Amino acid sequence: MAGTKEIKTHIDSVQETRKITNAMYLIAATKLRRARQGLDNTRPYFEALRGEIKRIFRAVRDVDSRYFYPSDPPASTGGTYGCLVITADKGLAGAYNQNAIREAQHLLEQHPNTKLFVVGEYGRRFFDHRNIPIEHSFLYTAQNPTMVRAREISALLLDRFDRGELQKIFVVYTDMENGTTFTARSTRLLPFHRNYFDSPRTERKPVEPFEFLPNPKAVLENMIQSYVSGFIYSALIDSFCCEQNARMMAMDSANQNAEKLLGDLSLEFNRVRQSAITQEITEISAGAKAQRQKRGKER
């Protein structure tokens, strides 16, 4: 049975660990609040951009673009796919990283001819340790995503897509459904289905014709490039928010476990101390009794 010194050392260790987990909880909460604010500040622009793409399709129904499936898409599923996998730089975030990697592995199983583009040190280490080839690793941190980084990722993926090296592009990220629930998703980014930008039938076509310079296709493709950058930025922000939320939940669980462990250790410490005090009292009482008996015999 452990003595009071060992239990006291254990209690001090748990208290120090609780300070660390509590600090990580507060840091994650601050980062989550800032990330959500950044997403809210940029979301209206990309919602407006999507609305303008819808307007183009309302005005010109037969516009053709390499970023969209034709009206009767081919049934073939061959070719090379590209998959952007967004993970964190470190663990201590529950199942956040494992869920995203599991989605990427599922896509690899379905379509082995898939090239990986990875954001986040955790994902890089995972695929490297298992000798799964990575086509391109974005070496900057997954923390504090910016629009500049989103444009860099978008430019690389669009370049590969435009040159025909990639037939489809998927994004594996984690989507926050509400304040406490998040789900890893695998979403096809390119090519788009036209009905994704279809307007409700109740909306009327523009009475006055629009003038597109140089032509509707060029305008549409230029807007799609910005829209892809915005989608990737939103995926980076969503993933970052989910990471911080998962870390908050993990640290909160660790804090609760530490409180429970400290309670159990305090009870054990009190029992051991009481037992030691009782033992000392018993020994003193037995010694005093022995002395009295000795003096009685001497008389």
Side-chain angles (χ1 to χ4, degrees):
M1 185 176 182
T4 55
K5 183 178 180 180
E6 289 80 4
I7 297 175
K8 188 67 168 62
T9 301
H10 195 180
I11 289 175
D12 292 340
S13 176
V14 173
Q15 288 176 338
E16 291 298 322
T17 303
R18 185 179 59 176
K19 290 180 182 178
I20 296 173
T21 56
N22 188 56
M24 293 181 67
Y25 176 89
L26 296 176
I27 292 171
T30 302
K31 289 183 177 180
L32 175 62
R33 184 169 58 253
R34 291 178 179 176
R36 282 179 171 174
Q37 183 178 1
L39 183 61
D40 291 339
N41 290 339
T42 56
R43 193 187 301 274
Y45 168 76
F46 295 105
E47 290 296 329
L49 190 62
R50 183 179 180 183
E52 292 304 314
I53 295 173
K54 288 183 178 181
R55 184 176 297 182
I56 291 177
F57 279 115
R58 288 203 308 269
V60 186
R61 290 289 182 179
D62 58 347
V63 62
D64 189 23
S65 172
R66 62 185 180 277
Y67 298 130
F68 288 85
Y69 281 119
S71 301
D72 50 347
S76 174
T77 59
T80 303
Y81 291 0
C83 180
L84 175 65
V85 184
I86 302 174
T87 65
D89 290 324
K90 56 186 177 182
L92 298 177
Y96 166 79
N97 289 300
Q98 290 77 9
N99 290 340
I101 288 174
R102 193 178 298 116
E103 283 294 320
Q105 289 179 311
H106 183 62
L107 180 61
L108 288 171
E109 291 173 358
Q110 290 183 329
H111 194 86
N113 191 15
T114 298
K115 295 182 177 180
L116 296 178
F117 301 81
V118 181
V119 174
E121 184 62 28
Y122 192 99
R124 287 193 288 268
R125 291 199 307 266
F126 179 90
F127 293 119
D128 284 340
H129 291 170
R130 288 158 181 78
N131 296 319
I132 300 176
I134 299 176
E135 179 69 15
H136 187 89
S137 181
F138 299 96
L139 298 180
Y140 42 71
T141 177
Q143 302 290 310
N144 302 322
T146 63
M147 193 63 208
V148 174
R149 293 174 179 174
R151 288 195 179 100
E152 291 176 356
I153 298 172
S154 173
L156 176 63
L157 295 176
L158 286 172
D159 180 64
R160 300 290 184 89
F161 185 82
D162 292 340
R163 289 190 293 176
E165 297 179 11
L166 302 175
Q167 275 64 52
K168 293 182 181 180
I169 297 176
F170 291 82
V171 179
V172 173
Y173 69 105
T174 309
D175 181 31
M176 181 175 289
E177 297 179 351
N178 53 53
T180 58
T181 306
F182 47 89
T183 306
R185 300 186 184 277
S186 176
T187 302
R188 190 192 70 252
L189 179 58
L190 288 174
F192 290 106
H193 278 295
R194 292 174 181 269
N195 56 11
Y196 183 73
F197 293 98
D198 276 350
S199 301
R201 295 183 177 180
T202 55
E203 293 188 15
R204 298 180 179 179
K205 291 185 63 176
V207 178
E208 296 294 333
F210 287 103
E211 182 179 358
F212 298 96
L213 296 176
N215 54 66
K217 179 179 179 181
V219 174
L220 179 63
E221 293 187 349
N222 183 64
M223 296 177 69
I224 285 295
Q225 292 175 7
S226 297
Y227 186 82
V228 169
S229 299
F231 186 95
I232 293 176
Y233 177 67
S234 177
L236 290 171
I237 290 285
D238 271 341
S239 297
F240 182 70
C241 288
C242 292
E243 176 196 349
Q244 302 309 319
N245 190 53
R247 183 163 290 113
M248 287 174 58
M249 295 171 62
M251 294 304 102
D252 183 60
S253 177
N255 287 336
Q256 293 179 12
N257 292 335
E259 291 289 345
K260 182 180 178 180
L261 182 56
L262 285 173
D264 294 340
L265 288 172
S266 296
L267 289 175
E268 184 179 359
F269 178 80
N270 291 333
R271 282 197 299 267
V272 171
R273 186 178 62 177
Q274 187 64 41
S275 177
I277 293 173
T278 303
Q279 180 68 24
E280 291 177 1
I281 293 174
T282 302
E283 291 174 354
I284 293 172
S285 177
K289 182 178 180 181
Q291 289 294 328
R292 287 195 299 270
Q293 291 176 351
K294 181 179 178 181
R295 286 196 296 269
K297 289 180 180 180
E298 290 176 350
R299 293 176 183 176

